[in-house]
């Protein structure tokens, strides 16, 4: 239920004109787990989360200190810092003081329970709380609180900011103890850094997974995760239950296996399992680190360095694997969409390896030829698929393109296995840019049988063919969706208007307009409603133009207005009238437009004029949309 509500809210906010942080805030306020109502918070009062933070902080601190203590009462790993940092990142800033207070009380009680004086306990508490607060604030500001789901560079930011906060915390703690030493400073630094690096990502993974309505990673079951961590634990126990052989490399092997199976969860969770097992081993005076001829503090520092090395080796690999999986998914989706587009447009693509004469066909090319795509054809078979009267032309066209290293285009007929004749249009380019790929021809083929039959009808029809040619000309210059001029006609009319302005010395201008947030409308309502919005905007805009003005669709949701005999002031007046009319429309969904206006200057080309209008349009977009901007 929570996941469904969250998905519905995301879809409703896609078209909202606000930035990403505002949308996240609205989503949080809209769900029971964030706004303090609903089943979850009825069972868990408003103060429950801070209390849970304090309890988790205290439990982690006492457990860590009980498992293994270093010099001056500093544990090998301090998970409490990671608990508080994660709690702050998962909560809204308005409740941060409650989490900080809960963590401070837990830290003070834990320090007093270890026999520290009230002064030192207060000082250590201040250092711990300041560390977590600074780390959470820096991570939130840098947007690096989710390194396990972002770019690989974000993990460096995450680790760097965590190190900065623990560096300051260690310095604060060193000023509190009576006899500070470099060893104390480094031990505090490494202990708290391990706590943040190991615990914070784990809690964040669970927190964000719960918000998505999915606790476990994709394609993983609780049993598989438990089994993977059980293997890591077993190897760690085997490694640290003896002090005879230096087997510290074995846990890394199992952690890497966990990384490949579970991603970042396997990296952080695996290192945390090793940290727990090694901490218990230190308490029992066991483990390979006992082979080191040094005092207990040096051994503890060595163990911390070992754990940091495990983390530094495994987490980047996990992030890179996650990025690789995302890339594979994106490529798969792109291939799927390409196949869908080819199927809708009845267009396929092919490639001919020039050296080996190996032909590669897309699925749609097989469909056009009436064949199954079980086996790719040989080059000779591909040529023989054409009509006998067209084979020589096709072969010579391809050979000429190969010899001249140039593009090609031809129309021909193919014969399907059942004897059906289809007319096709094929065009392509010489593919010789890539250094690590052999020379090839790349082309597309389109089934134009309907078009060819129509052309035959035109040739056979006399007067009717002449009339059909006139209609085809109109269609060629008219946008089929809106009925206004298309790009071709707009370009032609712009050239005529500029020539007239040059000859008469009178001004002329153009306006580019674009529907704001049109992609969000398509995503939310579908392309049918999107087409209706384009039609409505074209109709509203047309009603506001002067008699000799032309409105044309340049492509997608972008329109062009040609304004002959119009200075900049007149053009702005007409364009503003268009913008207001679109905004005032009461038809749902309501939309707005942004407009860029440019007045033609003597000697200016159409490309330059369009570019200036386009720059003004993007200035209007940057200014907040539903705005008109005049090019300088």
């Amino acid at each position: 239920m929570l996941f469904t509500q969250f998905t519905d809210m995301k879809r409703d906010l896609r078209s909202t004109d606000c930035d990403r942080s505002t949308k996240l805030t609205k989503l949080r306020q809209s769900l029971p787990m964030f706004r303090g109502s609903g089943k979850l918070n009825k069972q868990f009062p408003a103060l429950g989360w801070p209390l849970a933070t304090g309890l988790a902080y205290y439990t982690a601190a006492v457990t860590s200190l009980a498992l293994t203590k270093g010099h001056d009462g500093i544990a090998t790993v301090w998970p409490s810092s990671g608990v508080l940092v994660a709690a702050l990142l998962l909560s809204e800033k308005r409740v941060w003081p409650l989490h900080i207070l809960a963590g401070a009380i837990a830290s003070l009680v834990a320090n007093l329970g270890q026999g520290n004086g009230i002064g030192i306990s207060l000082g250590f508490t201040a250092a711990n709380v300041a560390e977590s607060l600074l780390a959470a604030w820096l991570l939130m500001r840098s947007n690096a609180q989710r390194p396990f789901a972002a770019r690989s560079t974000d993990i460096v930011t995450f680790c760097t900011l965590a190190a900065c906060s623990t560096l300051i915390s260690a310095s604060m703690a060193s000023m509190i103890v009576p006899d500070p030493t470099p060893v104390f400073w480094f031990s505090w630094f490494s202990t708290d850094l391990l706590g943040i690096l190991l615990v914070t990502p784990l809690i964040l993974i669970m927190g964000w997974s719960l918000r998505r309505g999915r606790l476990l990673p994709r394609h993983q079951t609780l049993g598989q995760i438990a089994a993977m961590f059980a293997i890591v634990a077993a190897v760690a126990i085997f490694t640290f239950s003896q002090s005879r052989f230096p087997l510290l490399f074995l846990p890394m092997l199992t952690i890497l296996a966990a990384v490949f199976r579970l991603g970042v969860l396997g990296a952080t969770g695996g290192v945390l399992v090793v940290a727990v097992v090694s901490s218990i081993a230190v308490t029992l005076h066991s483990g390979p680190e006992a082979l080191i001829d040094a005092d207990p503090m040096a051994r503890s520092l060595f163990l911390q360095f070992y754990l940091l090395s495990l983390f530094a080796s495994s987490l980047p690999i996990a992030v890179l694997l996650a990025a690789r999986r995302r890339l594979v998914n994106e490529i798969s989706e792109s291939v799927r969409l390409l196949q869908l587009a080819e199927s809708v447009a009845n267009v396929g693509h092919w490639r001919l390896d020039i050296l080996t004469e190996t032909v590669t066909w897309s699925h749609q090319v097989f469909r056009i030829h009436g064949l199954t795509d079980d086996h790719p054809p040989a080059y000779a078979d591909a040529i023989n698929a054409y009509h006998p009267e067209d084979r020589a032309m096709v072969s010579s066209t391809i050979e000429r393109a190969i010899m001249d290293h140039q593009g090609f285009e031809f129309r021909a007929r193919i014969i399907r296995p059942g004897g059906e004749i289809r007319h096709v249009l094929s065009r392509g380019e010489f593919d010789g840019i890539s250094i690590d790929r052999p020379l090839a021809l790349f082309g597309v083929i389109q089934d134009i049988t309907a078009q060819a039959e129509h052309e035959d009808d035109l040739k056979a029809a006399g007067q009717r063919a002449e009339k059909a040619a006139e209609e085809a000309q109109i269609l060629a210059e008219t946008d089929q969706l809106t009925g206004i001029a298309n790009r071709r006609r707009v370009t032609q009319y712009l050239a005529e208007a500029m020539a007239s302005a040059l000859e008469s010395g009178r001004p002329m201008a153009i306006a580019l307009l674009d529907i704001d947030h049109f992609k969000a409308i398509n995503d939310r309502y579908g392309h049918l409603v999107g087409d209706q919005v384009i039609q409505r905007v074209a109709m509203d805009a047309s009603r506001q133009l002067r008699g000799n003005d032309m409105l044309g669709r340049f492509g997608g949701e972008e329109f062009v207005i040609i304004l002959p005999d119009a200075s900049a002031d007149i053009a702005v007046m007409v364009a503003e009238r268009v913008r207001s009319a679109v905004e005032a429309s009461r038809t749902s969904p309501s939309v707005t437009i942004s407009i860029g206006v440019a007045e033609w200057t003597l000697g200016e080309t159409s490309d330059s004029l369009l570019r200036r209008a386009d720059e003004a349009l993007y200035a209007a977009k940057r200014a907040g949309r539903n705005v008109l901007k005049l090019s300088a």
Side-chain angles (χ1 to χ4, degrees):
M1 180 64 183
L2 182 62
F3 176 68
T4 303
Q5 187 176 358
F6 183 73
T7 303
D8 293 341
M9 282 303 306
K10 287 199 297 183
R11 184 175 61 252
D12 293 340
L13 287 175
R14 281 175 180 169
S15 59
T16 303
D17 190 8
C18 56
D19 57 21
R20 178 176 178 273
S21 61
T22 304
K23 289 183 178 181
L24 286 176
T25 301
K26 290 183 178 180
L27 284 172
R28 289 172 176 169
Q29 293 173 349
S30 302
L31 292 176
M33 69 182 297
F34 297 117
R35 66 170 182 261
S37 63
K39 183 177 179 181
L40 180 60
N41 284 322
K42 286 179 181 178
Q43 297 175 352
F44 214 62
L47 294 178
W49 294 115
L51 290 176
T53 298
L55 180 61
Y57 190 104
Y58 176 78
T59 302
V62 171
T63 303
S64 179
L65 290 171
L67 285 177
T68 171
K69 285 187 176 182
H71 187 62
D72 292 330
I74 301 177
T76 302
V77 179
W78 189 250
S80 301
S81 297
V83 170
L84 185 53
V85 171
L88 293 175
L89 292 176
L90 288 172
S91 62
E92 298 180 356
K93 286 188 176 180
R94 61 184 178 84
V95 296
W96 277 23
L98 296 178
H99 288 279
I100 293 171
L101 178 62
I105 295 173
S107 177
L108 181 61
V109 173
N111 277 282
L112 291 174
Q114 294 300 315
N116 294 326
I118 184 64
I120 291 180
S121 296
L122 287 173
F124 283 178
T125 296
N128 283 325
V129 171
E131 169 189 84
S132 299
L133 178 60
L134 178 61
W137 181 79
L138 290 175
L139 291 170
M140 188 69 73
R141 287 293 301 271
S142 65
N143 198 30
Q145 68 270 30
R146 297 181 66 190
F148 45 87
R151 298 170 301 175
S152 58
T153 54
D154 287 345
I155 187 176
V156 178
T157 303
F158 177 78
C159 296
T160 301
L161 297 181
C164 290
S165 62
T166 51
L167 185 150
I168 294 176
S169 173
S171 301
M172 292 175 61
S174 296
M175 293 186 292
I176 296 169
V177 296
D179 298 315
T181 63
V183 173
F184 172 87
W185 182 94
F186 183 78
S187 180
W188 182 291
F189 169 79
S190 58
T191 298
D192 284 27
L193 180 60
L194 275 171
I196 295 177
L197 296 182
L198 297 181
V199 176
T200 299
L202 277 177
I203 299 178
L204 290 179
I205 290 174
M206 291 187 291
W208 284 102
S209 297
L210 285 173
R211 291 182 184 182
R212 293 194 303 268
R214 185 183 69 250
L215 178 60
L216 302 178
R218 293 183 184 273
H219 312 299
Q220 298 293 337
T221 64
L222 184 60
Q224 292 173 333
I225 296 175
M228 197 71 253
F229 285 145
I231 294 174
V232 176
V235 173
I237 292 172
F238 173 76
T239 300
F240 288 94
S241 63
Q242 54 83 39
S243 304
R244 184 176 181 182
F245 302 104
L247 302 178
L248 293 176
F249 62 92
L250 291 180
M252 170 57 74
L253 300 179
T254 56
I255 289 175
L256 289 179
V259 166
F260 279 99
R261 292 290 298 173
L262 306 178
V264 176
L265 179 62
T268 54
V271 176
L272 186 60
V273 168
V274 174
V276 172
V277 173
S278 61
S279 297
I280 297 175
V282 168
T283 303
L284 300 176
H285 305 288
S286 177
E289 70 275 5
L291 297 174
I292 302 175
D293 186 14
D295 55 44
M297 172 55 80
R299 294 174 183 172
S300 178
L301 293 178
F302 172 79
L303 180 59
Q304 292 173 341
F305 178 78
Y306 171 72
L307 294 175
L308 285 172
S309 299
L310 290 180
F311 177 85
S313 301
S314 59
L315 189 58
I317 296 176
V319 173
L320 292 176
L321 286 175
R324 177 182 176 274
R325 283 192 291 269
R326 287 196 299 271
L327 181 60
V328 170
N329 292 336
E330 291 173 1
I331 293 175
S332 299
E333 180 65 8
S334 297
V335 172
R336 186 186 70 83
L337 293 177
L338 174 61
Q339 292 177 347
L340 179 61
E342 289 188 348
S343 177
V344 171
N346 205 12
V347 175
H349 67 272
W350 55 268
R351 186 175 186 275
L352 169 63
D353 188 315
I354 296 174
L355 296 180
T356 63
E357 291 191 348
T358 301
V359 178
T360 304
W361 280 0
S362 70
H363 176 70
Q364 190 62 23
V365 178
F366 282 97
R367 289 187 58 186
I368 292 174
H369 282 75
L371 301 171
T372 61
D373 53 1
D374 298 335
H375 302 286
Y379 175 67
D381 295 333
I383 295 296
N384 290 333
Y386 286 94
H387 194 281
E389 297 178 2
D390 298 336
R391 290 173 190 169
M393 179 272 296
V394 172
S395 181
S396 62
T397 300
I398 292 177
E399 291 176 0
R400 185 167 57 253
I402 294 174
M403 293 180 60
D404 298 339
H405 291 189
Q406 63 181 13
F408 63 91
E409 178 177 340
F410 63 84
R411 294 177 58 170
R413 294 163 294 175
I414 60 174
I415 303 178
R416 289 184 168 183
E420 180 185 4
I421 297 177
R422 307 295 293 180
H423 293 259
V424 296
L425 169 66
S426 185
R427 60 167 63 94
E429 296 290 339
F430 180 80
D431 184 9
I433 300 177
S434 179
I435 299 177
D436 57 348
R437 292 173 64 91
L439 299 180
L441 283 185
F442 176 82
V444 295
I445 185 170
Q446 180 180 11
D447 188 334
I448 59 170
T449 302
Q451 177 184 341
E453 292 174 351
H454 182 61
E455 292 173 352
D456 291 340
D457 291 340
L458 289 176
K459 293 178 181 178
Q463 185 178 359
R464 188 181 65 187
E466 192 172 315
K467 182 179 178 181
E470 294 175 357
E471 293 176 353
Q473 179 67 23
I474 295 175
L475 290 175
E477 297 179 351
T478 303
D479 178 67
Q480 299 301 304
L481 178 62
T482 61
I484 63 176
N486 62 7
R487 187 186 189 104
R488 174 183 175 184
R489 178 56 183 151
V490 169
T491 303
Q492 179 183 353
Y493 190 75
L494 175 59
E496 294 171 359
M498 291 175 61
S500 177
L502 180 63
E503 181 178 354
S504 64
R506 298 181 61 82
M508 68 85 56
I510 66 170
L512 285 180
L513 61 95
D514 184 90
I515 301 175
D516 297 329
H517 301 295
F518 184 73
K519 183 180 183 300
I521 294 175
N522 273 336
D523 291 343
R524 182 176 180 183
Y525 298 100
H527 289 281
L528 179 60
V529 174
D531 289 346
Q532 294 172 353
V533 168
I534 291 176
Q535 292 171 336
R536 192 176 77 230
V537 170
M539 182 180 301
D540 291 341
S542 298
R543 291 170 179 169
Q544 308 303 319
L545 301 183
R546 304 173 303 165
N548 59 343
D549 296 338
M550 172 183 279
L551 173 67
R553 185 180 176 202
F554 229 43
E557 68 274 21
E558 191 175 67
F559 298 82
V560 183
I561 303 175
I562 309 298
L563 299 149
D565 299 326
S567 63
D569 293 339
I570 295 177
V572 168
M573 179 189 67
V574 174
E576 178 60 23
R577 201 161 57 199
V578 170
R579 187 200 64 77
S580 300
V582 173
E583 183 183 23
S585 176
R586 297 181 179 273
T587 306
S588 179
S590 59
V591 296
T592 60
I593 60 174
S594 300
I595 306 178
V597 177
E599 182 181 6
W600 177 71
T601 60
L602 184 62
E604 186 176 25
T605 64
S606 59
D607 289 341
S608 174
L609 180 60
L610 287 168
R611 182 172 59 255
R612 290 198 296 114
D614 190 57
E615 291 171 353
L617 170 60
Y618 275 92
K621 291 285 188 181
R622 291 192 296 269
R625 296 182 172 85
N626 194 21
V627 175
L628 184 150
K629 290 291 184 179
L630 176 64
S631 174

